[in-house]
Amino acid sequence: RDSSIAVGIDAKDVWANASKNKKGSDTSAKYTAFYNGYADTKSFVEKGLTDFIVVNASGSLDNETVGFENVCSWWSNVAKSAKIPFYIVHHNEKIGTDEDGWEVEDQLLKQLAKADELDNYSGSVFYSEKSLEENPMGNNRYAHEVFQRADKC
């Protein structure tokens, strides 16, 4: 394999719930990558088959089923053990909806702050370009400020 080309994996937020698999995350998702999707994404990372991981963190910080913090902390530890970068997909298309936690204007900003606390957090991806353009609840200005402050550090 050409080592100059980085190969990554886009992982579902929940590999497995800890209630069903002791190696899983503290979540209670109905759909898991391992049991429902037959995708052992955790093993891909552990076996060194990927150079980085991008995790679809669909839940808010307030979501009790697939909470952003639980999902990201779990995947961060998996990536850290494998010594690979960890990126987070933020589901910004949910801003301003009635989905748990997304009805407030600062959910995305709080997620960015939580992500920055993770040891091997390498960056963010935003799920919806359309939502960035539409700028629901005026979040883009604040997100831009967060990234500008990060550049100055």
Side-chain angles (χ1 to χ4, degrees), residues 31-49:
Y31 181 93
T32 66
F34 188 69
Y35 291 103
N36 303 103
Y38 307 103
D40 193 355
T41 47
K42 180 178 178 284
S43 179
F44 295 168
V45 172
E46 292 171 338
K47 290 179 180 178
L49 301 175

PDB file of all heavy atoms in Angstrom, residues 31-49:
ATOM      1  N   TYR A  31     -29.717   0.951  16.603  1.00  0.00           N
ATOM      2  CA  TYR A  31     -28.895   0.457  15.494  1.00  0.00           C
ATOM      3  C   TYR A  31     -27.430   0.617  15.880  1.00  0.00           C
ATOM      4  O   TYR A  31     -26.986   1.700  16.250  1.00  0.00           O
ATOM      5  CB  TYR A  31     -29.166   1.254  14.214  1.00  0.00           C
ATOM      6  CG  TYR A  31     -28.364   0.773  13.035  1.00  0.00           C
ATOM      7  CD1 TYR A  31     -28.891  -0.164  12.152  1.00  0.00           C
ATOM      8  CD2 TYR A  31     -27.069   1.237  12.814  1.00  0.00           C
ATOM      9  CE1 TYR A  31     -28.136  -0.614  11.072  1.00  0.00           C
ATOM     10  CE2 TYR A  31     -26.317   0.786  11.737  1.00  0.00           C
ATOM     11  CZ  TYR A  31     -26.857  -0.141  10.874  1.00  0.00           C
ATOM     12  OH  TYR A  31     -26.114  -0.587   9.818  1.00  0.00           O
ATOM     13  N   THR A  32     -26.676  -0.464  15.775  1.00  0.00           N
ATOM     14  CA  THR A  32     -25.228  -0.399  16.025  1.00  0.00           C
ATOM     15  C   THR A  32     -24.504  -0.948  14.806  1.00  0.00           C
ATOM     16  O   THR A  32     -24.996  -1.828  14.108  1.00  0.00           O
ATOM     17  CB  THR A  32     -24.830  -1.206  17.279  1.00  0.00           C
ATOM     18  OG1 THR A  32     -25.073  -2.589  17.056  1.00  0.00           O
ATOM     19  CG2 THR A  32     -25.580  -0.722  18.511  1.00  0.00           C
ATOM     20  N   ALA A  33     -23.316  -0.413  14.585  1.00  0.00           N
ATOM     21  CA  ALA A  33     -22.528  -0.835  13.425  1.00  0.00           C
ATOM     22  C   ALA A  33     -22.204  -2.323  13.496  1.00  0.00           C
ATOM     23  O   ALA A  33     -22.326  -3.036  12.503  1.00  0.00           O
ATOM     24  CB  ALA A  33     -21.247  -0.019  13.337  1.00  0.00           C
ATOM     25  N   PHE A  34     -21.813  -2.790  14.662  1.00  0.00           N
ATOM     26  CA  PHE A  34     -21.353  -4.166  14.800  1.00  0.00           C
ATOM     27  C   PHE A  34     -22.486  -5.187  14.661  1.00  0.00           C
ATOM     28  O   PHE A  34     -22.369  -6.142  13.895  1.00  0.00           O
ATOM     29  CB  PHE A  34     -20.651  -4.341  16.151  1.00  0.00           C
ATOM     30  CG  PHE A  34     -19.977  -5.672  16.327  1.00  0.00           C
ATOM     31  CD1 PHE A  34     -18.854  -6.002  15.584  1.00  0.00           C
ATOM     32  CD2 PHE A  34     -20.463  -6.593  17.232  1.00  0.00           C
ATOM     33  CE1 PHE A  34     -18.218  -7.224  15.743  1.00  0.00           C
ATOM     34  CE2 PHE A  34     -19.837  -7.823  17.403  1.00  0.00           C
ATOM     35  CZ  PHE A  34     -18.714  -8.138  16.659  1.00  0.00           C
ATOM     36  N   TYR A  35     -23.582  -4.987  15.365  1.00  0.00           N
ATOM     37  CA  TYR A  35     -24.655  -5.987  15.385  1.00  0.00           C
ATOM     38  C   TYR A  35     -25.681  -5.832  14.265  1.00  0.00           C
ATOM     39  O   TYR A  35     -26.187  -6.819  13.759  1.00  0.00           O
ATOM     40  CB  TYR A  35     -25.359  -5.989  16.749  1.00  0.00           C
ATOM     41  CG  TYR A  35     -24.455  -6.517  17.834  1.00  0.00           C
ATOM     42  CD1 TYR A  35     -23.846  -5.649  18.726  1.00  0.00           C
ATOM     43  CD2 TYR A  35     -24.182  -7.871  17.933  1.00  0.00           C
ATOM     44  CE1 TYR A  35     -22.988  -6.135  19.710  1.00  0.00           C
ATOM     45  CE2 TYR A  35     -23.325  -8.364  18.906  1.00  0.00           C
ATOM     46  CZ  TYR A  35     -22.734  -7.487  19.794  1.00  0.00           C
ATOM     47  OH  TYR A  35     -21.886  -7.974  20.755  1.00  0.00           O
ATOM     48  N   ASN A  36     -25.972  -4.599  13.880  1.00  0.00           N
ATOM     49  CA  ASN A  36     -26.979  -4.393  12.838  1.00  0.00           C
ATOM     50  C   ASN A  36     -26.365  -4.154  11.464  1.00  0.00           C
ATOM     51  O   ASN A  36     -26.926  -4.544  10.453  1.00  0.00           O
ATOM     52  CB  ASN A  36     -27.891  -3.213  13.192  1.00  0.00           C
ATOM     53  CG  ASN A  36     -28.566  -3.399  14.530  1.00  0.00           C
ATOM     54  OD1 ASN A  36     -28.147  -2.774  15.503  1.00  0.00           O
ATOM     55  ND2 ASN A  36     -29.565  -4.248  14.612  1.00  0.00           N
ATOM     56  N   GLY A  37     -25.225  -3.506  11.450  1.00  0.00           N
ATOM     57  CA  GLY A  37     -24.588  -3.176  10.178  1.00  0.00           C
ATOM     58  C   GLY A  37     -23.511  -4.154   9.767  1.00  0.00           C
ATOM     59  O   GLY A  37     -22.965  -4.054   8.674  1.00  0.00           O
ATOM     60  N   TYR A  38     -23.215  -5.088  10.662  1.00  0.00           N
ATOM     61  CA  TYR A  38     -22.181  -6.101  10.391  1.00  0.00           C
ATOM     62  C   TYR A  38     -20.863  -5.463   9.978  1.00  0.00           C
ATOM     63  O   TYR A  38     -20.129  -5.992   9.156  1.00  0.00           O
ATOM     64  CB  TYR A  38     -22.662  -7.117   9.337  1.00  0.00           C
ATOM     65  CG  TYR A  38     -23.979  -7.719   9.709  1.00  0.00           C
ATOM     66  CD1 TYR A  38     -25.155  -7.306   9.088  1.00  0.00           C
ATOM     67  CD2 TYR A  38     -24.062  -8.684  10.706  1.00  0.00           C
ATOM     68  CE1 TYR A  38     -26.379  -7.845   9.448  1.00  0.00           C
ATOM     69  CE2 TYR A  38     -25.283  -9.223  11.073  1.00  0.00           C
ATOM     70  CZ  TYR A  38     -26.439  -8.808  10.444  1.00  0.00           C
ATOM     71  OH  TYR A  38     -27.651  -9.341  10.821  1.00  0.00           O
ATOM     72  N   ALA A  39     -20.561  -4.329  10.599  1.00  0.00           N
ATOM     73  CA  ALA A  39     -19.323  -3.608  10.300  1.00  0.00           C
ATOM     74  C   ALA A  39     -18.514  -3.491  11.585  1.00  0.00           C
ATOM     75  O   ALA A  39     -18.893  -2.761  12.500  1.00  0.00           O
ATOM     76  CB  ALA A  39     -19.640  -2.224   9.737  1.00  0.00           C
ATOM     77  N   ASP A  40     -17.422  -4.193  11.646  1.00  0.00           N
ATOM     78  CA  ASP A  40     -16.571  -4.149  12.833  1.00  0.00           C
ATOM     79  C   ASP A  40     -15.555  -3.017  12.688  1.00  0.00           C
ATOM     80  O   ASP A  40     -14.348  -3.234  12.576  1.00  0.00           O
ATOM     81  CB  ASP A  40     -15.881  -5.499  13.053  1.00  0.00           C
ATOM     82  CG  ASP A  40     -15.240  -5.608  14.416  1.00  0.00           C
ATOM     83  OD1 ASP A  40     -15.254  -4.602  15.160  1.00  0.00           O
ATOM     84  OD2 ASP A  40     -14.714  -6.684  14.728  1.00  0.00           O
ATOM     85  N   THR A  41     -16.066  -1.806  12.705  1.00  0.00           N
ATOM     86  CA  THR A  41     -15.232  -0.622  12.502  1.00  0.00           C
ATOM     87  C   THR A  41     -14.175  -0.483  13.600  1.00  0.00           C
ATOM     88  O   THR A  41     -13.066  -0.014  13.343  1.00  0.00           O
ATOM     89  CB  THR A  41     -16.098   0.642  12.433  1.00  0.00           C
ATOM     90  OG1 THR A  41     -17.041   0.624  13.514  1.00  0.00           O
ATOM     91  CG2 THR A  41     -16.871   0.693  11.116  1.00  0.00           C
ATOM     92  N   LYS A  42     -14.504  -0.882  14.795  1.00  0.00           N
ATOM     93  CA  LYS A  42     -13.531  -0.838  15.903  1.00  0.00           C
ATOM     94  C   LYS A  42     -12.339  -1.733  15.573  1.00  0.00           C
ATOM     95  O   LYS A  42     -11.190  -1.340  15.770  1.00  0.00           O
ATOM     96  CB  LYS A  42     -14.204  -1.281  17.198  1.00  0.00           C
ATOM     97  CG  LYS A  42     -13.304  -1.280  18.413  1.00  0.00           C
ATOM     98  CD  LYS A  42     -14.127  -1.685  19.640  1.00  0.00           C
ATOM     99  CE  LYS A  42     -13.301  -1.753  20.898  1.00  0.00           C
ATOM    100  NZ  LYS A  42     -12.455  -2.941  20.979  1.00  0.00           N
ATOM    101  N   SER A  43     -12.599  -2.888  15.053  1.00  0.00           N
ATOM    102  CA  SER A  43     -11.530  -3.816  14.682  1.00  0.00           C
ATOM    103  C   SER A  43     -10.681  -3.258  13.539  1.00  0.00           C
ATOM    104  O   SER A  43      -9.463  -3.435  13.535  1.00  0.00           O
ATOM    105  CB  SER A  43     -12.126  -5.170  14.278  1.00  0.00           C
ATOM    106  OG  SER A  43     -11.123  -6.060  13.908  1.00  0.00           O
ATOM    107  N   PHE A  44     -11.313  -2.582  12.582  1.00  0.00           N
ATOM    108  CA  PHE A  44     -10.558  -1.965  11.488  1.00  0.00           C
ATOM    109  C   PHE A  44      -9.494  -1.033  12.061  1.00  0.00           C
ATOM    110  O   PHE A  44      -8.343  -1.032  11.627  1.00  0.00           O
ATOM    111  CB  PHE A  44     -11.458  -1.136  10.569  1.00  0.00           C
ATOM    112  CG  PHE A  44     -12.490  -1.902   9.801  1.00  0.00           C
ATOM    113  CD1 PHE A  44     -13.507  -1.221   9.148  1.00  0.00           C
ATOM    114  CD2 PHE A  44     -12.475  -3.279   9.702  1.00  0.00           C
ATOM    115  CE1 PHE A  44     -14.472  -1.898   8.426  1.00  0.00           C
ATOM    116  CE2 PHE A  44     -13.435  -3.968   8.979  1.00  0.00           C
ATOM    117  CZ  PHE A  44     -14.436  -3.275   8.342  1.00  0.00           C
ATOM    118  N   VAL A  45      -9.905  -0.234  13.038  1.00  0.00           N
ATOM    119  CA  VAL A  45      -8.991   0.722  13.662  1.00  0.00           C
ATOM    120  C   VAL A  45      -7.902  -0.018  14.437  1.00  0.00           C
ATOM    121  O   VAL A  45      -6.717   0.265  14.283  1.00  0.00           O
ATOM    122  CB  VAL A  45      -9.766   1.690  14.588  1.00  0.00           C
ATOM    123  CG1 VAL A  45      -8.813   2.559  15.390  1.00  0.00           C
ATOM    124  CG2 VAL A  45     -10.731   2.553  13.784  1.00  0.00           C
ATOM    125  N   GLU A  46      -8.306  -0.959  15.253  1.00  0.00           N
ATOM    126  CA  GLU A  46      -7.360  -1.690  16.102  1.00  0.00           C
ATOM    127  C   GLU A  46      -6.336  -2.486  15.291  1.00  0.00           C
ATOM    128  O   GLU A  46      -5.193  -2.644  15.720  1.00  0.00           O
ATOM    129  CB  GLU A  46      -8.110  -2.623  17.049  1.00  0.00           C
ATOM    130  CG  GLU A  46      -8.917  -1.876  18.095  1.00  0.00           C
ATOM    131  CD  GLU A  46      -9.841  -2.748  18.907  1.00  0.00           C
ATOM    132  OE1 GLU A  46     -10.207  -3.855  18.432  1.00  0.00           O
ATOM    133  OE2 GLU A  46     -10.210  -2.330  20.011  1.00  0.00           O
ATOM    134  N   LYS A  47      -6.728  -2.962  14.131  1.00  0.00           N
ATOM    135  CA  LYS A  47      -5.815  -3.744  13.282  1.00  0.00           C
ATOM    136  C   LYS A  47      -4.923  -2.869  12.403  1.00  0.00           C
ATOM    137  O   LYS A  47      -4.122  -3.377  11.626  1.00  0.00           O
ATOM    138  CB  LYS A  47      -6.609  -4.697  12.402  1.00  0.00           C
ATOM    139  CG  LYS A  47      -7.248  -5.834  13.174  1.00  0.00           C
ATOM    140  CD  LYS A  47      -8.039  -6.738  12.253  1.00  0.00           C
ATOM    141  CE  LYS A  47      -8.678  -7.881  13.025  1.00  0.00           C
ATOM    142  NZ  LYS A  47      -9.479  -8.741  12.153  1.00  0.00           N
ATOM    143  N   GLY A  48      -5.079  -1.551  12.508  1.00  0.00           N
ATOM    144  CA  GLY A  48      -4.244  -0.645  11.729  1.00  0.00           C
ATOM    145  C   GLY A  48      -4.631  -0.549  10.269  1.00  0.00           C
ATOM    146  O   GLY A  48      -3.808  -0.208   9.420  1.00  0.00           O
ATOM    147  N   LEU A  49      -5.897  -0.833   9.955  1.00  0.00           N
ATOM    148  CA  LEU A  49      -6.351  -0.799   8.571  1.00  0.00           C
ATOM    149  C   LEU A  49      -6.787   0.595   8.115  1.00  0.00           C
ATOM    150  O   LEU A  49      -7.191   0.774   6.970  1.00  0.00           O
ATOM    151  CB  LEU A  49      -7.508  -1.785   8.379  1.00  0.00           C
ATOM    152  CG  LEU A  49      -7.184  -3.243   8.707  1.00  0.00           C
ATOM    153  CD1 LEU A  49      -8.434  -4.106   8.592  1.00  0.00           C
ATOM    154  CD2 LEU A  49      -6.085  -3.758   7.791  1.00  0.00           C
TER     155      LEU A  49
END
